[in-house]
Amino acid sequence: MTGNSRKQRGINRRQVLQIFALAGAAGVLGLPLLGCGEAGMRVVRRSQAMLGTVVNLTVYSRDREQAEAAVTATLARMAELEGQLSRFREESEVGVLNRTGTLETAGADLQALLQLAGRVSEASAGAFDITMLPLLELYQRLAEQPAVIVGDEGRAAIAAARRQVDFRGVRLEGGRVSLAAGGMAITLDGIAKGHIVDQGAATLAAHGCRQIYVEAGGDLLVKGGKPGREPWRIGIRNPRPQLALPLPVINADSLAVATSGDYYQPFSSDFSYHHIIDPRTGFSSPELAAVTITAPNAALADALATASLVLGAQQAMDLLTVFPGCEGYFVRKDLSVSQTAGFPV
């Protein structure tokens, strides 16, 4: 959920995965649907603008009416969550918290996200921090003047913004949320879209759908495989498409995937400064161009991808050991690659 102001949402912050799921790719890449491969199965696909990007759903079912109803309910649920969690909407829960510093009664989804964000922040020693909005908004204001960022004026402004950033200043007590100091504000850009994907998948499951694909701007979750016992196939986007870089294809029946990259919203032509900022230094990490994380759920994959791009490959691998079932694939700025032993390729 990144944009150029709190009131105007931009296009998706991370168009990072090229999806080659043969059943689901039509909504993302404009490809024709291929044969189902299993008698009696029907496919329902739908795409809808949401979350500053396009949400793409694919459902296989023997009952088309059931699948259509499930997809309609899922898109409604995802839109509802966007209304609650978007920092771009003044009356959302996040909007109220940022404007007033206090939210007396947070909904269950916001509470769950704050708890997960806190876990990732603690485990990453602050590399992931939802209170970094003052830094992000500063960079967005300076984006048309990149020379200012590295000058004395820019460094002083960055230092001042950093003083408003500290994940420990988000206090969740029962259902009440508060920010410890004036000027603090949160952004769920690095975690909410994954959570909304998870909740979309949960809605489909609640309607009896078992073979599903839910994707929003590169954060995705697949379950149940495709008809004919075929896995979903998920390709990883080259962060430097002008240069040759063979990248793996993930084959999975049930998995969540998220990628963070330096290329979506760069603040300099060489990608040295971009929207993934180390909250501890105020500057983008110099090592990685992109990180792809696989995880049991999309919210966790989303947060870990952001933290990993900040940390660099080796520290990110150490971080992933804290979270069972999570693996990573790392592309450095020189296009050398590394991966965890269990990355599913």
Side-chain angles (χ1 to χ4, degrees), residues 12-336:
N12 159 47
R13 63 179 167 79
R14 290 183 302 176
Q15 287 288 2
V16 291
L17 291 182
Q18 293 292 340
I19 309 306
F20 298 105
L22 294 183
V28 181
L29 302 179
L31 299 178
L33 178 70
L34 302 183
C36 292
E38 187 172 307
M41 295 297 286
R42 298 291 183 265
V43 62
V44 172
R45 299 191 310 273
R46 203 177 302 174
S47 299
Q48 181 170 312
M50 194 186 303
L51 306 172
T53 182
V54 177
V55 170
N56 297 287
L57 305 180
T58 298
V59 175
Y60 283 106
S61 176
R62 296 186 184 280
D63 186 332
R64 176 177 288 278
E65 290 186 4
Q66 174 204 33
E68 291 280 7
V71 166
T72 297
T74 296
L75 290 171
R77 170 63 172 152
M78 296 175 79
E80 175 191 22
L81 287 170
E82 180 182 24
Q84 295 172 7
L85 303 174
S86 172
R87 66 179 171 92
F88 301 98
R89 301 186 181 188
E90 290 188 355
E91 298 310 314
S92 73
E93 292 184 355
V94 172
V96 172
L97 177 63
N98 286 345
R99 190 171 65 254
T100 67
T102 304
L103 187 65
E104 292 299 333
T105 306
D109 291 281
L110 179 57
Q111 291 187 50
L113 281 173
L114 294 179
Q115 290 166 352
L116 177 58
R119 288 175 54 208
V120 177
S121 294
E122 290 284 358
S124 66
F128 181 82
D129 192 327
I130 62 172
T131 69
M132 65 162 291
L133 185 58
L135 269 173
L136 178 60
E137 292 188 329
L138 171 64
Y139 269 89
Q140 289 170 336
R141 290 194 297 272
L142 297 177
E144 296 181 0
Q145 303 173 333
V148 174
I149 296 174
V150 296
D152 291 342
E153 178 185 351
R155 290 182 178 275
I158 289 168
R162 279 189 59 227
R163 289 193 285 272
Q164 298 174 313
V165 176
D166 187 346
F167 69 90
R168 292 163 295 190
V170 180
R171 297 168 178 168
L172 177 61
E173 300 165 320
R176 186 177 188 271
V177 185
S178 62
L179 303 176
M184 291 187 72
I186 71 168
T187 170
L188 300 179
D189 291 4
I191 191 170
K193 185 147 60 66
H195 177 74
I196 293 172
V197 166
D198 288 331
Q199 291 301 303
T203 303
L204 289 172
H207 284 76
C209 300
R210 299 290 178 262
Q211 293 173 279
I212 63 172
Y213 162 97
V214 182
E215 186 265 345
D219 292 353
L220 68 91
L221 188 147
V222 295
K223 286 189 176 181
K226 296 183 294 183
R229 299 184 180 179
E230 290 292 323
W232 300 95
R233 303 184 67 242
I234 305 160
I236 301 171
R237 178 178 171 179
N238 182 349
R240 304 289 186 267
Q242 70 275 20
L243 302 174
L245 179 63
L247 290 171
V249 173
I250 299 168
N251 293 280
D253 289 330
S254 298
L255 195 67
V257 184
T259 298
S260 282
D262 64 4
Y263 46 87
Y264 168 69
Q265 191 178 343
F267 300 130
S268 62
S269 59
D270 64 355
F271 302 102
S272 295
Y273 304 98
H274 53 85
H275 71 297
I276 304 295
I277 303 164
D278 187 340
R280 305 165 301 179
T281 68
F283 296 92
S284 299
S285 179
E287 180 187 342
L288 296 174
V291 177
T292 295
I293 300 295
T294 62
N297 63 76
L300 181 58
D302 199 2
L304 290 176
T306 300
S308 295
L309 196 74
V310 169
L311 289 170
Q314 186 54 60
Q315 289 186 62
M317 289 184 187
D318 294 339
L319 172 65
L320 294 178
T321 64
V322 177
F323 297 92
C326 296
E327 305 290 343
Y329 189 90
F330 311 95
V331 182
R332 295 175 181 82
K333 291 185 186 290
D334 65 4
L335 300 188
S336 62

